[in-house]
Amino acid sequence: MVSTDQVKELRDKTGISVMQCKKALEDAGGDMDKALAMLKAKSVEIASKKSNRALKSGTVAAYIHSNGAVGAMVLLSCETDFVARNEEFKALAYDIAMHVTAMSPEFTTEKDITAEHKEKTRELFQKEVDESGKPEALKEKMLTGKINTYFKERTLLNQQFIKDTEKTVGDLVTGAVQKFGENIEVSQCVRFGV
């Protein structure tokens, strides 16, 4: 039997509905960590099902750092005005704008990385790997790892979120899809600096 305190704790951690939290805890036999993992897996599944829905609304959030020398604007899109006007949705957009200001991503998603940029990056690291003196069998793995790490650090949705490094920005968006029940995505982001 799952207690209401456990359900409340899981809801406070995730922001997901009471019923979803209760079901996850029941399925996990009361184990909080298992329930969290199950909800995370479920959010990915829900997000993929909703990814083709039209984004007709959203909110623009801006963050200007206290020194006034750097800031960012983010367009967080959703399906309806109902979600766009929700304070938690607006807070998510603001947090993402703060993250963009701090981390200065070059790309929003992996789809934004051009073939030309991938090739230039490969050439850059190929030289470094060739000079490493490692066996040939290991060089290709090293090259792939360096390229993947390079783009992960520069792609918004793959970056670790500055307020909670156990999540990526993509995890936040995926969680919001589960929470709000709509397709949500970061449509645009721009960082400005002096």
Side-chain angles (χ1 to χ4, degrees):
M1 181 75 180
V2 176
S3 73
T4 55
D5 289 339
Q6 287 176 302
V7 174
K8 182 180 181 329
E9 181 183 348
L10 185 57
R11 177 160 166 53
D12 290 344
K13 285 182 179 180
T14 63
I16 296 171
S17 75
V18 172
M19 293 307 292
Q20 288 184 53
C21 290
K22 182 178 179 188
K23 179 161 177 22
L25 280 165
E26 287 172 350
D27 292 348
D31 185 324
M32 187 67 66
D33 292 333
K34 279 185 182 177
L36 279 168
M38 291 170 71
L39 286 172
K40 184 174 182 176
K42 182 91 172 155
S43 69
V44 171
E45 180 184 324
I46 289 170
S48 68
K49 286 181 182 177
K50 296 180 186 278
S51 65
N52 292 329
R53 291 186 180 178
L55 301 168
K56 299 177 182 175
S57 195
T59 190
V60 174
Y63 173 81
I64 309 296
H65 193 62
S66 62
N67 65 6
V70 65
M73 291 181 73
V74 168
L75 170 57
L76 188 62
S77 298
C78 60
E79 296 175 41
T80 64
D81 284 343
F82 178 75
V83 170
R85 290 189 302 255
N86 183 294
E87 290 304 316
E88 289 181 60
F89 183 79
K90 291 177 182 179
L92 174 62
Y94 179 80
D95 283 347
I96 294 172
M98 183 188 312
H99 177 91
V100 169
T101 301
M103 300 303 291
S104 189
E106 293 177 45
F107 312 100
T108 304
T109 69
E110 292 172 1
K111 294 179 215 168
D112 299 329
I113 304 169
T114 64
E116 181 183 341
H117 199 96
K118 288 179 182 177
E119 187 56 36
K120 285 182 181 179
T121 304
R122 184 173 190 77
E123 289 171 8
L124 174 78
F125 287 119
Q126 184 70 54
K127 188 175 180 181
E128 185 179 319
V129 168
D130 288 343
E131 295 171 356
S132 69
K134 302 285 183 186
E136 288 299 319
L138 190 59
K139 285 183 179 180
E140 189 58 35
K141 287 182 182 179
M142 285 176 58
L143 181 61
T144 302
K146 285 180 177 287
I147 292 170
N148 290 344
T149 300
Y150 176 86
F151 285 119
K152 182 179 177 185
E153 292 171 353
R154 287 162 178 74
T155 305
L156 175 64
L157 295 182
N158 293 333
Q159 290 179 334
Q160 289 182 318
F161 182 52
I162 58 171
K163 286 181 152 182
D164 181 357
T165 57
E166 292 188 17
K167 295 179 181 177
T168 64
V169 175
D171 292 338
L172 290 179
V173 173
T174 301
V177 170
Q178 183 176 15
K179 183 176 188 173
F180 295 112
E182 288 190 7
N183 184 19
I184 296 170
E185 71 178 42
V186 179
S187 296
Q188 294 177 344
C189 65
V190 174
R191 183 180 187 272
F192 301 94
V194 177

